[in-house]
Amino acid sequence: MMNEIYDVIIIGGGPAGISAGLYAGRAGLNTLIIEKQYLGGQAVTTFEIVNYPGINEIDGPSLVDNMRKQAESFGVKFEYTEIEYVNFEDKIKIINTQKGQFSAKSVIIATGANPRKVGFKGEDEFYGRGVSYCATCDGGFYRDLDVFIVGGGYAAAEESLYLARLARKVTIFVRKPKFSCPKPMADKVLSNEKIEVKFNCEVSEIGGENQPTYLEYFNNVTNEKFRYDLSSGDRAFGLFVLAGFIPTTDLFKGAVELDEYNYIKTDENMKTNVEGVYAAGDLRSKLLRQIVTAVSDGAIAATSCEKYIEENN
Ligand SMILES: Cc1cc2nc3c(=O)[nH]c(=O)nc-3n(C[C@H](O)[C@H](O)[C@H](O)COP(=O)(O)OP(=O)(O)OC[C@H]3O[C@@H](n4cnc5c(N)ncnc54)[C@H](O)[C@@H]3O)c2cc1C
């Protein structure tokens, strides 16, 4: 119902949004999740999740389907539509969509973030079967194998140390002549015996059949070209693109406070700078972007909403 005032509207149906819905619904709040595409967000794009506590191994779509059923069992409603604009200025928050206007006493923004792509040939084709954007998620698949990283910032440097504990060798391609992360972190990487750093180098192509068997890169100063071929006896190699994330927050510019990288600023209770508006999941400024942290944010945001509604009505 368009003229209904919901207790909570959650924008985004990824793990953070569904978890927020589940907690809000269970607390007896009249809850709506608005999703623009399909439920599950980034989590449905992965077919092997092995780091969600209590579940040894599950594919993303199955995990998300379980989450949806659980949320529905607590009375959560879902709408699938594009949002045109939001207005959080008054006590009743307004969300204008292609299906009309929705109103709520409180809002949880959970529109996620997406890994930044760098654009080499084969990046899309081998995504999920050789090319990965998440070392924590996929590093374990390359135990004792060769691993490559694209990126020269903090994430690339830090994750190279993590991958070096698993892989046989880690090679990092840094587009610039030095790392852009703080020197102590860069020094740690440079002194690690299992890590080789190739400055001024960029990947131009990754190729093969079912999974990649070669990788080509070049020096952007000398224009020299190089090629790596899968070592005989190895079942695979991994290429991790760790060039940052792009938060999905354009819609909320001017409505809530963002940090310098366009992530939404919250306190530890997921509260934004606007009364009654909370944010949860990958679009928050935070250290670890995983399903387990997204669902945790969602649970906290819903509990904060519950308290806010109780105190304000
Ligand atoms: C390839 C890949 C593999 C991964 N593997 C793992 C893993 O093995 N283990 C793990 O823990 N984590 C993994 N992750 C990370 C994990 O998927 C994310 O941390 C998690 O999905 C973040 O949840 P979220 O709800 O914050 O955001 P998202 O999952 O990004 O969901 C956001 C949702 O909001 C919707 N949305 C966006 N804008 C709007 C709008 N304007 N209106 C309405 N809806 C909107 C999107 O369509 C999406 O459904 C992986 C990520 C990727 C990309």
Side-chain angles (χ1 to χ4, degrees), residues 10 29 31 70 145 159 204 214 219 226 284:
I10 297 158
L29 303 180
T31 305
Q70 214 174 351
L145 296 169
E159 299 293 33
S204 50
Y214 71 89
N219 183 304
F226 304 92
R284 286 180 59 236

Side-chain angles (χ1 to χ4, degrees), residues 79-147:
E79 276 291 348
Y80 294 87
T81 180
E82 280 277 346
I83 293 171
E84 284 161 353
Y85 65 86
V86 295
N87 184 343
F88 298 154
E89 280 170 19
D90 297 324
K91 210 163 173 195
I92 297 299
K93 317 297 176 200
I94 304 294
I95 296 160
N96 245 68
T97 75
Q98 286 178 350
K99 284 192 179 173
Q101 193 175 86
F102 293 89
S103 315
K105 293 174 191 166
S106 66
V107 169
I108 298 173
I109 308 171
T111 47
N114 283 300
R116 194 184 295 276
K117 294 185 176 182
V118 292
F120 52 82
K121 198 170 167 203
E123 183 173 8
D124 286 338
E125 189 187 341
F126 291 101
Y127 168 53
R129 50 191 179 110
V131 175
S132 169
Y133 297 89
C134 179
T136 319
C137 313
D138 298 332
F141 302 132
Y142 300 100
R143 215 170 270 277
D144 300 322
L145 296 169
D146 289 337
V147 154

Side-chain angles (χ1 to χ4, degrees), residues 15-60:
I18 305 177
S19 162
L22 192 160
Y23 272 75
R26 187 154 188 258
L29 303 180
N30 184 14
T31 305
L32 174 72
I33 297 180
I34 300 179
E35 165 58 50
K36 71 166 181 184
Q37 212 174 353
Y38 47 78
L39 282 187
Q42 297 166 68
V44 284
T45 66
T46 178
F47 282 88
E48 206 169 13
I49 297 167
V50 292
N51 57 2
Y52 193 76
I55 299 176
N56 286 344
E57 189 181 327
I58 192 166
D59 60 276

